[in-house]
Coordinates of all heavy atoms in Angstrom, one line a residue:
V1 N -3.4 41.5 20.5 CA -4.3 40.3 20.6 C -5.7 40.8 21.1 O -5.7 41.4 22.2 CB -3.7 39.2 21.5 CG1 -4.7 38.0 21.6 CG2 -2.3 38.7 20.9
L2 N -6.6 40.3 20.3 CA -8.0 40.8 20.7 C -9.0 39.5 20.7 O -9.0 38.8 19.6 CB -8.6 41.8 19.8 CG -7.7 43.1 19.6 CD1 -7.0 43.1 18.3 CD2 -8.7 44.3 19.6
D3 N -9.7 39.3 21.6 CA -10.6 38.2 21.7 C -12.0 38.7 21.5 O -12.6 39.4 22.4 CB -10.4 37.4 23.1 CG -11.3 36.1 23.1 OD1 -11.7 35.6 22.1 OD2 -11.6 35.7 24.3
E4 N -12.6 38.3 20.4 CA -14.0 38.6 20.1 C -14.2 40.3 20.1 O -15.1 40.7 21.0 CB -15.0 37.9 20.9 CG -15.0 36.5 20.6 CD -15.6 36.1 19.3 OE1 -16.2 36.9 18.6 OE2 -15.4 34.9 18.9
P5 N -13.4 41.0 19.6 CA -13.5 42.5 19.8 C -14.8 43.1 19.4 O -15.2 44.3 19.8 CB -12.3 42.9 19.0 CG -12.1 42.0 17.9 CD -12.4 40.7 18.6
S6 N -15.6 42.4 18.5 CA -16.8 43.0 18.0 C -18.0 42.3 18.7 O -19.2 42.5 18.2 CB -17.0 42.9 16.5 OG -16.9 41.5 16.1
A7 N -17.8 41.7 19.7 CA -18.9 40.8 20.3 C -20.1 41.7 20.7 O -21.3 41.3 20.5 CB -18.3 40.2 21.6
F8 N -19.9 43.0 21.2 CA -21.1 43.7 21.8 C -21.4 44.9 20.8 O -22.1 45.8 21.2 CB -20.7 44.3 23.2 CG -20.4 43.2 24.0 CD1 -19.2 43.0 24.6 CD2 -21.4 42.4 24.4 CE1 -18.7 42.1 25.6 CE2 -21.1 41.3 25.4 CZ -19.8 41.2 25.9
L9 N -20.8 44.9 19.6 CA -21.0 46.0 18.6 C -22.0 45.7 17.5 O -22.4 44.5 17.2 CB -19.7 46.3 17.9 CG -18.5 46.5 18.9 CD1 -17.3 46.8 18.0 CD2 -18.8 47.6 19.9
D10 N -22.7 46.8 17.1 CA -23.7 46.6 16.0 C -22.9 46.4 14.6 O -21.7 46.4 14.6 CB -24.6 47.8 15.9 CG -24.0 49.2 15.8 OD1 -23.0 49.1 15.0 OD2 -24.5 50.1 16.2
V11 N -23.7 46.2 13.6 CA -23.0 45.8 12.4 C -22.1 46.9 11.8 O -20.9 46.6 11.4 CB -24.1 45.5 11.3 CG1 -23.5 45.2 9.9 CG2 -25.0 44.3 11.8
G12 N -22.5 48.1 11.8 CA -21.7 49.2 11.4 C -20.4 49.4 12.2 O -19.3 49.5 11.6
A13 N -20.5 49.2 13.5 CA -19.4 49.5 14.4 C -18.4 48.3 14.2 O -17.2 48.5 14.4 CB -19.8 49.5 15.8
R14 N -18.9 47.0 13.8 CA -18.0 45.9 13.6 C -17.2 46.2 12.4 O -16.0 45.9 12.4 CB -18.8 44.7 13.3 CG -19.5 44.1 14.6 CD -20.5 43.0 14.3 NE -21.3 42.7 15.4 CZ -22.4 41.8 15.4 NH1 -22.6 41.3 14.3 NH2 -22.9 41.6 16.6
V15 N -17.8 46.7 11.3 CA -16.9 47.0 10.1 C -15.9 48.1 10.4 O -14.9 48.0 10.0 CB -17.9 47.4 8.9 CG1 -17.1 47.9 7.7 CG2 -18.9 46.2 8.6
D16 N -16.4 49.1 11.0 CA -15.4 50.3 11.4 C -14.3 49.7 12.2 O -13.2 50.2 12.0 CB -16.2 51.3 12.2 CG -17.2 52.2 11.5 OD1 -17.0 52.1 10.1 OD2 -18.1 52.9 12.0
L17 N -14.5 48.8 13.2 CA -13.4 48.3 14.0 C -12.4 47.6 13.1 O -11.3 47.7 13.4 CB -14.1 47.4 15.1 CG -13.0 46.8 16.0 CD1 -12.3 47.9 16.8 CD2 -13.7 45.8 17.0
M18 N -12.9 46.6 12.3 CA -12.1 45.9 11.4 C -11.2 46.8 10.5 O -10.0 46.5 10.4 CB -12.8 44.9 10.6 CG -13.3 43.7 11.5 SD -11.9 42.6 12.1 CE -11.3 42.0 10.6
A19 N -11.9 47.7 10.0 CA -11.1 48.7 9.1 C -10.0 49.5 9.9 O -9.0 49.7 9.5 CB -12.1 49.8 8.5
L20 N -10.4 49.8 11.1 CA -9.4 50.5 12.1 C -8.3 49.7 12.5 O -7.1 50.1 12.4 CB -10.1 50.9 13.4 CG -9.3 51.6 14.4 CD1 -8.6 53.0 13.9 CD2 -10.2 52.0 15.7
L21 N -8.5 48.4 12.7 CA -7.5 47.3 13.1 C -6.5 47.1 11.8 O -5.3 47.1 12.0 CB -8.0 46.1 13.5 CG -8.7 46.1 14.8 CD1 -9.4 44.9 15.1 CD2 -7.7 46.5 15.9
R22 N -7.1 47.1 10.7 CA -6.3 47.1 9.4 C -5.3 48.3 9.3 O -4.2 48.2 9.0 CB -7.1 46.9 8.2 CG -7.7 45.5 8.1 CD -8.4 45.3 6.7 NE -7.5 45.5 5.5 CZ -7.9 45.3 4.3 NH1 -9.2 45.2 4.0 NH2 -7.0 45.3 3.3
R23 N -5.9 49.5 9.5 CA -5.1 50.7 9.4 C -3.9 50.7 10.6 O -2.9 51.1 10.1 CB -6.1 51.8 9.5 CG -5.3 53.2 9.4 CD -6.3 54.3 9.1 NE -7.3 54.5 10.1 CZ -7.2 55.1 11.3 NH1 -6.1 55.7 11.6 NH2 -8.2 55.1 12.1
I24 N -4.4 50.3 11.7 CA -3.3 50.3 12.8 C -2.1 49.3 12.4 O -1.0 49.6 12.6 CB -4.0 49.9 14.0 CG1 -4.9 51.1 14.5 CG2 -3.0 49.5 15.0 CD1 -5.7 50.7 15.7
A25 N -2.7 48.1 12.0 CA -1.6 47.0 11.6 C -0.6 47.6 10.5 O 0.5 47.5 10.7 CB -2.2 45.7 11.2
R26 N -1.2 48.2 9.6 CA -0.2 48.7 8.4 C 0.5 49.9 8.9 O 1.7 50.1 8.6 CB -1.1 49.0 7.3 CG -1.6 47.7 6.5 CD -2.8 48.0 5.7 NE -3.2 46.9 4.8 CZ -3.8 45.7 5.2 NH1 -4.0 45.5 6.5 NH2 -4.1 44.8 4.4
G27 N -0.1 50.8 9.5 CA 0.5 52.0 9.9 C 1.6 52.0 10.9 O 2.6 52.7 10.8
R28 N 1.3 51.1 11.9 CA 2.2 50.8 12.9 C 3.2 49.8 12.7 O 4.2 49.5 13.4 CB 1.6 50.7 14.4 CG 0.7 51.9 14.7 CD 0.3 51.8 16.1 NE -0.4 53.1 16.6 CZ -0.3 53.3 17.9 NH1 0.4 52.7 18.7 NH2 -1.0 54.5 18.3
G29 N 2.9 48.9 11.7 CA 3.7 47.7 11.4 C 3.7 46.6 12.5 O 4.7 45.9 12.6
I30 N 2.6 46.5 13.2 CA 2.5 45.5 14.3 C 1.7 44.3 13.9 O 1.1 44.4 12.8 CB 1.8 46.2 15.5 CG1 0.4 46.5 15.4 CG2 2.5 47.4 16.0 CD1 -0.3 47.0 16.5
T31 N 1.8 43.3 14.7 CA 1.1 42.1 14.4 C -0.3 42.2 15.1 O -0.2 42.4 16.4 CB 1.9 40.9 14.8 OG1 3.1 40.8 14.1 CG2 1.1 39.5 14.6
V32 N -1.4 41.9 14.5 CA -2.7 41.9 15.0 C -3.3 40.6 14.9 O -3.4 40.1 13.8 CB -3.6 43.1 14.4 CG1 -5.0 42.9 15.0 CG2 -3.0 44.5 14.6
V33 N -3.7 40.0 16.0 CA -4.3 38.7 16.0 C -5.6 38.8 16.7 O -5.6 39.2 17.9 CB -3.5 37.5 16.6 CG1 -4.2 36.2 16.6 CG2 -2.1 37.4 15.9
L34 N -6.7 38.4 16.1 CA -8.1 38.5 16.8 C -8.9 37.2 16.5 O -8.8 36.6 15.5 CB -8.8 39.8 16.3 CG -9.2 39.8 14.8 CD1 -10.6 39.3 14.5 CD2 -9.1 41.4 14.3
S35 N -9.8 36.9 17.4 CA -10.7 35.9 17.2 C -12.0 36.5 17.0 O -12.3 37.6 17.4 CB -10.8 35.0 18.5 OG -11.3 35.7 19.5
T36 N -12.8 35.8 16.2 CA -14.1 36.3 15.8 C -15.1 35.3 15.3 O -14.6 34.3 14.8 CB -14.0 37.4 14.7 OG1 -15.3 38.0 14.5 CG2 -13.4 36.8 13.4
H37 N -16.3 35.6 15.5 CA -17.4 34.7 14.9 C -18.0 35.3 13.7 O -18.8 34.7 13.0 CB -18.6 34.6 15.9 CG -18.3 33.6 17.0 ND1 -18.0 34.0 18.3 CD2 -18.4 32.3 17.2 CE1 -17.9 33.0 19.2 NE2 -18.1 31.9 18.4
E38 N -17.4 36.5 13.2 CA -17.8 37.1 12.1 C -17.1 36.6 10.9 O -16.2 37.2 10.4 CB -17.6 38.6 12.2 CG -18.4 39.3 13.4 CD -19.9 39.4 13.2 OE1 -20.3 39.4 12.1 OE2 -20.6 39.3 14.2
V39 N -17.5 35.5 10.3 CA -16.8 34.8 9.3 C -16.8 35.6 8.1 O -15.7 35.8 7.5 CB -17.4 33.4 9.0 CG1 -16.7 32.7 8.0 CG2 -17.3 32.5 10.3
E40 N -17.9 36.1 7.6 CA -18.0 36.8 6.4 C -17.1 38.1 6.5 O -16.4 38.5 5.5 CB -19.4 37.3 6.0 CG -20.3 36.0 5.7 CD -21.7 36.3 5.6 OE1 -22.0 37.5 5.4 OE2 -22.6 35.4 5.4
L41 N -17.2 38.8 7.7 CA -16.2 40.0 7.8 C -14.9 39.7 7.8 O -14.0 40.5 7.2 CB -16.7 40.7 9.1 CG -16.1 42.1 9.4 CD1 -16.5 43.1 8.3 CD2 -16.6 42.6 10.7
A42 N -14.5 38.6 8.5 CA -13.1 38.2 8.4 C -12.6 37.9 7.1 O -11.5 38.3 6.7 CB -12.9 37.1 9.4
L43 N -13.4 37.3 6.3 CA -13.0 36.8 4.9 C -12.8 38.1 4.0 O -11.9 38.1 3.2 CB -14.1 36.0 4.3 CG -14.3 34.6 4.8 CD1 -15.5 33.9 4.1 CD2 -13.0 33.7 4.6
R44 N -13.5 39.1 4.3 CA -13.4 40.3 3.5 C -12.2 41.3 4.0 O -11.6 42.0 3.2 CB -14.7 41.2 3.5 CG -15.8 40.7 2.7 CD -17.0 41.5 2.8 NE -18.0 41.1 1.9 CZ -18.8 40.1 2.0 NH1 -18.8 39.3 2.9 NH2 -19.7 39.8 1.0
M45 N -12.0 41.3 5.3 CA -11.1 42.4 5.9 C -9.7 41.9 6.5 O -8.9 42.6 6.7 CB -11.8 43.1 6.8 CG -13.1 43.8 6.2 SD -13.9 45.2 7.1 CE -12.7 46.5 6.8

């Protein structure tokens, strides 16, 4: 569970983090739940 994990990151780092979380969720088979204000990024990833 992550609360606003990209809050202090720049644009590139936000995308990298979301991509990393997707890879972790799939690779480890775990449940990932995060809150975010990045609506457009959440819709894509």
Side-chain angles (χ1 to χ4, degrees):
V1 175
L2 307 101
D3 187 18
E4 295 288 351
S6 61
F8 303 112
L9 307 183
D10 59 32
V11 174
R14 292 172 188 173
V15 175
D16 285 347
L17 177 62
M18 284 295 291
L20 177 61
L21 290 173
R22 286 186 67 178
R23 179 163 58 83
I24 288 168
R26 286 159 172 72
R28 296 188 175 216
I30 67 175
T31 300
V32 176
V33 179
L34 63 91
S35 66
T36 182
H37 285 98
E38 301 290 332
V39 177
E40 295 178 11
L41 185 58
L43 291 175
R44 285 178 170 79
M45 305 194 75

